[in-house]
C-alpha cells in the first residue's frame, strides 16, 4: 500500500479506471510483413468447458485459415464491458468480442463500440435458421448474434436424493418440500446458488417471479417481498449458507461440485464439467411456479469491434468458427452450450444427451429481458436486494421497497420502455 | 530532561547541514528545469487529464451513447443526486469505518512492531524482508488468498472449529464483513506503516534517549514524552497517507465481497466504480469520485501546511 501513486489515486476509482483503460493490450487484428494476420478475440470465459470449446472452434478455423492467428484475450467478467467502452476513446479494440448481451447490449450498441453487422447478417445464407431472439438489434441495426444460448436449471446430486428417497422436484412446492426434508441432515448446505449483489445474483433469483407471471416490468413490491421472504426462509432454515450472499455463479458451482450439496441452481455451460463429477448428477428444469417454469435466456453474443481493421475477416471467423453447424456442435460437445441453429434441434448429439434436455426445453419458454438502456441498473438493484436478505442485512419488505424504487427509477431513466 | 535540537530529529533532514546561497539556487533551478519536462508531461497526461475529465463528468450528463461525443452540461444535478441518495451516505460511513480500522491497526500495531524491530539483528532483517514481500503483493492476489482463508470452509474456520469455536461468516455476516475486509486491508498496509515508523525511530539520536534515561525517565515515560513527540512529523505524514490509502479502498472490496453482502462493504471508490462501470451512470460515478477527491484534499491540507511549516523551521 501507500506507494507514491496512492497520493493521486486517493481521489477515487474513476481516475484509476480511466488510466487502466488506456493500456489494456487491445491491439486490433492486423497484417504483418510475412502475410500472417491476427484476429483478437475478447472473452470472459472461466468455465473449463467454455475455454475448451473456444480452443477447438479456433482449431476448426485454423484448418481453413492457416495464415490467420487467433489471439484470445481473457478479461474478467465485470471488466469486459468497461474495457470495451474504453475502446471508444482509444479507437483500438478487439476484432471479435463475446459479450454479456442480456445485460450490456443496450449500452454497448448505443456507445458505438460494436460494428454494424446488418450487411453481413442480411447476406448470411443460414440466417433463416436462427430465431429472432438470436439476433440483437438497436435502432434497426444488427450488432450482436448468438450462436448458442445458456439457461438456468436445477442440478441435483442423484445419489443424495436417492438415499433420501426424494424424486427430482418439478414444481416450487415439491422443491420446497425437498429442501425442508434435506435441511436437518445437511445444515447450511442443501442448495448451492449465487446470491452476489450483482446481475448474477439477480439472474438466479428472478425465475421465482417469472414462474408467477411477473418480470422486471410487472413485478410489484408485494411480489418481490413474498419471494424474498422465501429466500430469507432458506437462509434462516439452513437451506443455503449465508455466504451465498457473496457467491457468484462460479463459487456456487464449485460448492455443488464438492458433493456436499443435494441441489445446485446453475447454467448449462457447466455440463461438461458436470460429467466429470465424483457423484451422479441429474438435471431438471427450474422448479415451476403457478405460471410454469421460466428462466431468462442467457449466453454470450458475438460482435465485431467497431475499430477492427478487417471486419470482413472477422465476420468470416464469426460465421465459420461460431455460427456454422460444425462449430455449433463442437461448442455443444465441449461445453454443453445449446446451439441456436434450428437445424440442430433434432441432432442426435443433442437429443441423446439426457443432462441437457431440461435446458433445451427451457429455451422455448423463456422470460423477456427488459430492453432498456438502464437494464443493468435494474438487474443490479434486484441482485443487491437478494444479497441483503440472504445475509440478514435487510428484511424482505425493506429490501423490496428499495429495489422497486431503484428499478422504477432506472426504467424511467432508460426511457421507460421494457 | 534535555530538549533535543530540532534540526537533528526530522527524518531525512540529517544531511541538510547548510542552505545553499540564493544565487546557487537560481542557477540550479535554471539547469534542472528541462529535466522536469518529461515528468511534468507524464503527470499531466496520466494524472491531471483524467482528473479534469472526471471533474467534467461530475457536471455533465454522460451515458454510453454520448461517451465519445459531446457531454451535455448538467450543472450540479449529479452532485445533488448523489448527496440525496442513501447509498452515498452508507458508502461514506463504510469508508469512515474502513479508514478508522486502518488508522488504529497501523498506528498501534505499527508502533509496537517498529519498536521491536528497531534493534538491528538477523531476526529483524528476516522479518523486515517478509514484510516487504507482504507489502509488495498485489491486492488482487492477497485479497483472493484471504477470501479463501475466510470462506465458510476455509482454513481459519477450520482452525476455529478445531478449537471448539463455531464457524464464523467473516465475509457474509453484515455485522462482520466490513471489519473483515478492513482488517485484511490493514494487514496489507501494516508493513508500510512499520517501515515508516521504524525509520522515524532510527532517526532519533540515541543521545536524546540516553539523556532521558539519565533524567530518570522509564520506558513508558520515554515513549510518551520523548519518542512520540519526536515522531510527530513522521506519524502525521503516515496518518495522511493511510487516509489517502483508505479512500482508494477498492481492490480488496472488489475481490473479496463485490461490495456485499447487500451493500455493507460498498465504500466510496467501489460505489463510484459500480455507478460508472456496472450501471454506466458515468455522471454520478464522476460525482462520487469528485466528492471523494474533495474529502481527500480537505484532509491533505493539514499535511501540506505541516510540511511547509517544518520546512520553514
Amino acid at each position: 500500500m501507500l506507494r507514491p501513486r496512492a497520493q493521486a489515486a486517493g481521489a477515487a476509482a474513476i481516475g484509476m479506471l480511466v488510466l487502466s483503460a488506456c493500456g489494456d493490450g487491445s491491439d486490433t487484428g492486423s497484417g504483418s510483413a510475412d502475410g500472417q494476420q491476427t484476429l483478437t478475440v475478447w472473452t470472459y470465459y472461466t468455465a473449463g468447458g467454455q475455454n475448451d470449446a473456444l480452443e477447438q472452434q479456433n482449431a476448426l478455423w485454423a484448418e481453413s485459415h492457416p495464415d490467420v492467428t487467433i489471439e484470445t484475450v481473457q478479461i474478467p467478467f465485470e471488466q469486459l464491458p468497461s474495457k470495451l467502452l474504453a475502446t471508444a476513446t482509444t479507437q483500438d479494440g478487439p476484432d471479435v468480442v463475446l459479450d454479456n448481451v442480456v445485460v450490456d447490449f443496450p449500452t454497448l450498441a448505443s456507445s458505438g463500440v460494436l460494428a454494424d453487422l446488418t450487411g453481413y447478417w442480411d447476406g448470411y445464407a443460414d440466417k433463416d435458421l436462427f430465431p429472432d431472439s438470436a439476433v440483437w438489434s438497436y435502432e434497426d441495426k444488427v450488432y450482436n448474434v448468438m450462436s448458442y444460448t445458456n439457461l438456468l436449471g436445477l442440478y441435483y446430486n442423484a445419489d443424495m436424493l436417492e438415499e433420501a428417497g426424494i424424486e427430482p422436484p418439478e414444481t416450487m412446492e415439491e422443491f420446497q418440500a425437498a429442501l425442508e426434508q434435506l435441511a436437518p441432515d445437511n445444515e447450511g448446505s442443501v442448495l448451492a446458488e449465487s446470491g452476489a449483489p450483482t446481475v448474477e445474483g439477480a439472474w438466479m433469483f428472478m425465475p421465482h417471479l417469472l414462474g408467477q407471471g411477473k418480470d422486471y416490468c410487472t413485478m410489484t413490491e408485494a411480489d418481490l417481498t413474498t419471494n424474498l421472504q422465501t429466500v430469507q426462509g432458506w437462509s434462516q432454515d439452513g437451506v443455503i449458507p449465508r455466504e451465498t450472499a457473496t457467491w457468484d455463479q462460479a463459487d456456487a458451482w464449485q460448492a455443488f461440485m464438492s458433493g456436499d450439496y443435494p441441489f445446485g441452481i446453475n447454467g448449462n455451460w457447466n455440463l461438461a464439467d458436470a460429467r466429470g463429477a465424483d457423484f451422479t448428477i441429474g438435471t431438471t428444469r427450474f422448479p415451476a411456479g403457478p405460471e410454469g417454469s421460466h428462466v431468462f435466456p442467457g449466453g454470450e453474443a458475438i460482435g465485431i469491434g467497431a475499430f477492427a481493421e478487417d471486419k470482413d475477416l472477422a465476420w468470416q471467423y464469426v460465421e465459420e468458427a461460431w455460427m456454422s453447424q460444425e462449430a455449433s456442435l463442437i461448442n455443444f460437445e465441449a461445453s454443453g452450450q445449446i446451439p441456436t441453429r434450428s437445424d440442430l434441434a433434432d441432432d442426435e448429439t443433442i437429443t441423446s444427451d439426457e443432462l441437457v434436455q431440461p435446458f433445451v426445453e427451457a429455451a422455448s419458454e423463456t422470460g423477456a429481458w427488459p430492453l432498456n438502456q438502464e437494464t443493468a441498473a435494474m438487474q443490479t438493484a434486484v441482485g443487491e436486494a437478494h444479497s441483503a436478505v440472504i445475509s440478514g442485512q435487510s428484511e424482505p419488505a425493506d429490501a423490496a421497497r428499495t429495489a422497486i424504487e431503484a428499478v422504477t427509477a432506472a426504467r424511467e431513466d432508460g426511457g421507460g420502455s421494457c | 530532561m534535555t530538549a533535543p535540537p530540532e534540526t537533528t530529529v526530522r527524518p531525512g533532514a540529517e544531511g541538510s547541514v547548510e542552505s545553499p546561497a540564493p544565487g546557487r539556487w537560481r542557477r540550479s533551478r535554471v539547469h534542472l528545469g528541462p529535466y522536469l519536462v518529461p515528468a511534468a508531461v507524464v503527470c499531466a497526461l496520466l494524472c491531471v487529464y483524467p482528473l479534469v475529465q472526471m471533474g467534467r463528468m461530475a457536471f455533465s450528463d454522460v451515458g454510453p451513447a454520448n461517451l465519445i461525443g459531446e457531454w451535455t452540461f448538467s450543472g450540479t444535478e449529479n452532485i445533488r443526486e448523489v448527496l440525496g441518495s442513501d447509498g452515498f451516505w452508507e458508502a461514506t460511513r463504510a469508508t469512515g469505518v474502513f479508514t478508522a480500522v486502518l488508522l488504529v491497526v497501523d498506528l498501534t500495531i505499527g508502533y509496537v512492531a517498529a519498536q521491536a524491530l528497531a534493534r538491528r539483528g538477523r531476526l529483524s532483517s528476516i522479518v523486515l524482508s517478509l514484510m516487504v514481500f507482504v507489502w509488495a503483493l498485489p491486492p488482487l492476489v492477497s485479497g483472493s488468498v484471504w477470501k479463501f482463508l475466510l470462506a465458510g470452509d476455509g482454513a481459519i474456520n477450520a482452525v476455529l472449529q478445531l478449537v471448539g469455536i463455531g464457524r464464523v461468516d467473516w465475509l457474509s455476516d453484515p455485522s462482520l464483513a466490513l471489519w473483515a475486509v478492513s482488517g485484511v486491508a490493514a494487514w496489507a498496509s501494516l508493513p508500510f506503516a512499520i517501515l515508516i515508523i521504524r525509520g522515524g525511530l532510527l532517526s532519533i539520536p540515541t543521545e536524546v534517549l540516553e539523556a532521558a534515561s539519565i533524567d530518570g525517565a522509564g520506558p513508558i515515560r520515554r515513549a510518551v514524552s520523548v519518542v512520540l513527540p519526536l515522531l510527530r512529523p513522521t506519524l502525521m505524514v503516515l496518518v495522511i497517507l493511510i487516509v489517502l490509502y483508505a479512500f482508494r479502498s477498492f481492490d480488496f472490496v472488489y475481490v473479496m465481497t463485490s461490495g456485499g453482502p447487500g451493500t455493507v462493504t460498498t465504500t466510496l471508490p467501489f460505489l463510484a466504480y459500480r455507478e460508472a462501470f456496472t450501471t454506466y451512470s458515468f455522471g454520478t460515478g464522476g460525482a462520487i469520485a469528485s466528492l471523494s477527491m474533495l474529502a481527500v484534499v480537505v484532509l491533505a491540507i493539514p499535511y501540506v501546511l505541516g510540511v511547509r511549516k517544518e520546512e520553514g523551521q
Side-chain angles (χ1 to χ4, degrees):
Chain A
M1 77 152 237
L2 305 179
R3 298 173 181 98
R5 71 170 188 267
Q7 295 176 43
I14 289 281
M16 182 180 71
L17 287 159
V18 169
L19 293 180
S20 72
C22 296
D24 53 16
S26 56
D27 290 335
T28 190
S30 58
S32 64
D34 59 0
Q36 190 74 16
Q37 280 187 289
T38 301
L39 275 182
T40 308
V41 180
W42 284 12
T43 81
Y44 54 72
Y45 283 167
T46 51
Q50 289 179 310
N51 283 316
D52 289 346
L54 176 61
E55 201 173 305
Q56 292 176 36
Q57 288 167 248
N58 286 343
L60 173 72
W61 160 265
E63 285 173 16
S64 53
H65 298 84
D67 56 336
V68 182
T69 305
I70 301 295
E71 188 177 291
T72 304
V73 180
Q74 300 272 11
I75 295 171
F77 172 73
E78 285 195 345
Q79 291 179 22
L80 191 137
S82 57
K83 285 192 179 294
L84 200 53
L85 286 173
T87 66
T89 309
T90 60
Q91 303 280 299
D92 181 20
D95 294 292
V96 176
V97 60
L98 287 120
D99 58 72
N100 187 19
V101 66
V102 297
V103 177
D104 299 324
F105 180 76
T107 302
L108 298 177
S110 64
S111 64
V113 295
L114 293 176
D116 177 7
L117 305 182
T118 312
Y120 294 118
W121 185 250
D122 288 344
Y124 181 39
D126 289 354
K127 72 170 186 174
D128 292 335
L129 296 174
F130 291 84
D132 291 345
S133 59
V135 186
W136 289 71
S137 301
Y138 174 76
E139 293 182 345
D140 297 327
K141 290 179 181 170
V142 176
Y143 289 95
N144 267 163
V145 290
M146 295 179 80
S147 73
Y148 63 86
T149 186
N150 284 329
L151 301 115
L152 289 179
L154 183 65
Y155 286 84
Y156 57 86
N157 183 325
D159 301 335
M160 292 177 90
L161 260 56
E162 189 181 341
E163 192 179 321
I166 295 172
E167 287 294 313
E170 292 184 358
T171 65
M172 197 49 87
E173 285 78 14
E174 291 172 6
F175 188 42
Q176 184 67 33
L179 295 174
E180 285 171 10
Q181 183 182 333
L182 290 161
D185 293 332
N186 298 273
E187 181 62 30
S189 55
V190 183
L191 172 64
E193 65 169 1
S194 166
T198 62
V199 294
E200 288 187 64
W203 195 37
M204 291 262 172
F205 171 71
M206 281 303 289
H208 288 261
L209 286 127
L210 293 176
Q212 295 157 12
K214 306 288 182 179
D215 60 21
Y216 277 100
C217 303
T218 56
M219 66 181 177
T220 63
E221 192 177 315
D223 296 328
L224 196 51
T225 302
T226 304
N227 287 282
L228 287 173
Q229 280 168 343
T230 301
V231 174
Q232 184 189 45
W234 289 355
S235 181
Q236 291 175 346
D237 297 342
V239 169
I240 53 175
R242 185 150 57 174
E243 55 188 334
T244 299
T246 56
W247 276 356
D248 59 22
Q249 292 165 108
D251 293 328
W253 180 250
Q254 283 171 15
F256 177 70
M257 287 297 281
S258 69
D260 296 333
Y261 288 76
F263 292 111
I265 294 176
N266 226 301
N268 54 285
W269 62 89
N270 291 309
L271 283 172
D273 195 29
R275 293 188 181 96
D278 296 333
F279 52 93
T280 312
I281 286 184
T283 57
T284 185
R285 290 181 65 176
F286 192 96
E291 300 293 325
S293 170
H294 305 282
V295 294
F296 283 120
E300 291 69 39
I302 311 159
I304 293 178
F307 309 104
E309 283 183 9
D310 192 342
K311 293 186 178 64
D312 292 344
L313 183 69
W315 176 254
Q316 254 186 298
Y317 170 78
V318 172
E319 265 192 28
E320 295 174 29
W322 289 94
M323 311 299 287
S324 70
Q325 203 176 49
E326 192 176 1
S328 296
L329 280 176
I330 289 174
N331 191 350
F332 172 75
E333 288 184 297
S335 68
Q337 301 185 115
I338 301 164
T340 48
R341 290 180 67 102
S342 58
D343 57 347
L344 290 177
D346 298 325
D347 190 280
E348 199 189 342
T349 314
I350 297 171
T351 56
S352 62
D353 187 332
E354 282 184 16
L355 286 180
V356 82
Q357 289 317 304
F359 298 97
V360 173
E361 288 169 22
S364 59
E365 294 182 89
T366 54
W369 287 105
L371 277 178
N372 183 298
Q373 286 276 2
E374 296 292 330
T375 184
M378 294 163 76
Q379 295 178 46
T380 302
V382 172
E384 283 181 355
H386 186 217
S387 173
V389 167
I390 292 171
S391 69
Q393 184 198 2
S394 302
E395 286 299 312
D398 297 332
R401 185 167 52 253
T402 306
I404 288 291
E405 283 173 7
V407 167
T408 306
R411 193 171 69 218
E412 286 169 6
D413 284 350
S417 67
C418 229
Chain B
M1 195 170 68
T2 310
E6 209 164 341
T7 50
T8 59
V9 296
R10 276 189 290 133
E14 294 85 348
S16 54
V17 184
E18 60 180 68
S19 298
R24 281 175 59 195
W25 268 118
R26 272 197 297 273
R27 281 196 300 278
S28 299
R29 282 176 182 169
V30 169
H31 291 145
L32 287 175
Y35 295 104
L36 292 175
V37 172
V41 170
V42 169
C43 185
L45 284 175
L46 298 183
C47 297
V48 179
Y49 177 70
L51 287 176
V52 169
Q53 289 294 83
M54 183 184 76
R56 277 188 61 212
M57 241 178 209
F59 295 97
S60 305
D61 182 14
V62 191
N66 66 340
L67 186 61
I68 312 174
E70 287 296 312
W71 298 351
T72 314
F73 180 71
S74 61
T76 57
E77 190 183 326
N78 292 327
I79 302 285
R80 280 185 282 117
E81 186 183 333
V82 166
L83 291 176
S85 73
D86 293 340
F88 174 76
W89 295 109
E90 283 172 20
T92 303
R93 183 193 149 277
T95 309
V97 171
F98 197 95
T99 308
V101 170
L102 258 69
L103 283 171
V104 170
V105 171
D106 286 1
L107 292 179
T108 53
I109 299 180
Y111 178 77
V112 173
Q115 282 283 14
L117 293 167
R119 298 182 192 86
R120 298 180 197 280
R122 181 173 290 178
L123 186 62
S124 292
S125 301
I126 294 170
V127 174
L128 286 170
S129 305
L130 279 174
M131 286 195 315
V132 171
F133 174 74
V134 167
W135 178 56
L137 274 178
L140 290 178
V141 174
S142 51
S144 299
V145 171
W146 275 105
K147 184 181 176 183
F148 285 117
L149 289 174
L150 293 170
D153 55 357
I156 291 176
N157 271 329
V159 172
L160 290 179
Q161 282 168 330
L162 267 180
V163 297
I165 303 172
R167 165 181 154 156
V168 178
D169 293 324
W170 298 103
L171 298 177
S172 51
D173 184 334
S175 59
L176 283 179
L178 183 58
W179 299 101
V181 177
S182 308
V184 170
W187 167 85
S189 62
L190 190 56
F192 179 82
I194 293 171
L195 291 171
I196 293 290
I197 297 172
R198 182 176 178 270
L201 288 173
L202 291 176
S203 72
I204 297 175
T206 51
E207 296 84 2
V208 176
L209 297 171
E210 286 168 4
S213 297
I214 292 168
D215 287 350
I220 295 176
R221 178 72 171 169
R222 274 205 308 275
V224 172
S225 301
V226 181
V227 177
L228 285 177
L230 294 178
L231 273 181
R232 195 183 59 82
T234 306
L235 293 179
M236 199 169 72
V237 171
L238 186 60
V239 165
I240 296 297
L241 290 177
I242 290 171
V243 170
L244 290 172
Y245 174 69
F247 268 78
R248 54 179 287 268
S249 49
F250 173 79
D251 8 36
F252 286 107
V253 174
Y254 177 77
V255 173
M256 297 176 70
T257 58
S258 298
T263 52
V264 170
T265 59
T266 300
T267 54
L268 285 171
F270 188 82
L271 182 65
Y273 165 81
R274 203 192 61 196
E275 284 293 314
F277 296 107
T278 302
T279 62
Y280 310 113
S281 306
F282 295 105
T284 47
I288 294 164
S290 298
L291 289 169
S292 301
M293 190 175 71
L294 191 65
V296 170
V297 168
V298 168
L299 292 169
I301 285 173
Y303 164 62
V304 175
L305 292 178
V307 169
R308 284 195 174 175
K309 190 178 169 189
E310 292 287 328
E311 284 175 352
Q313 288 171 347

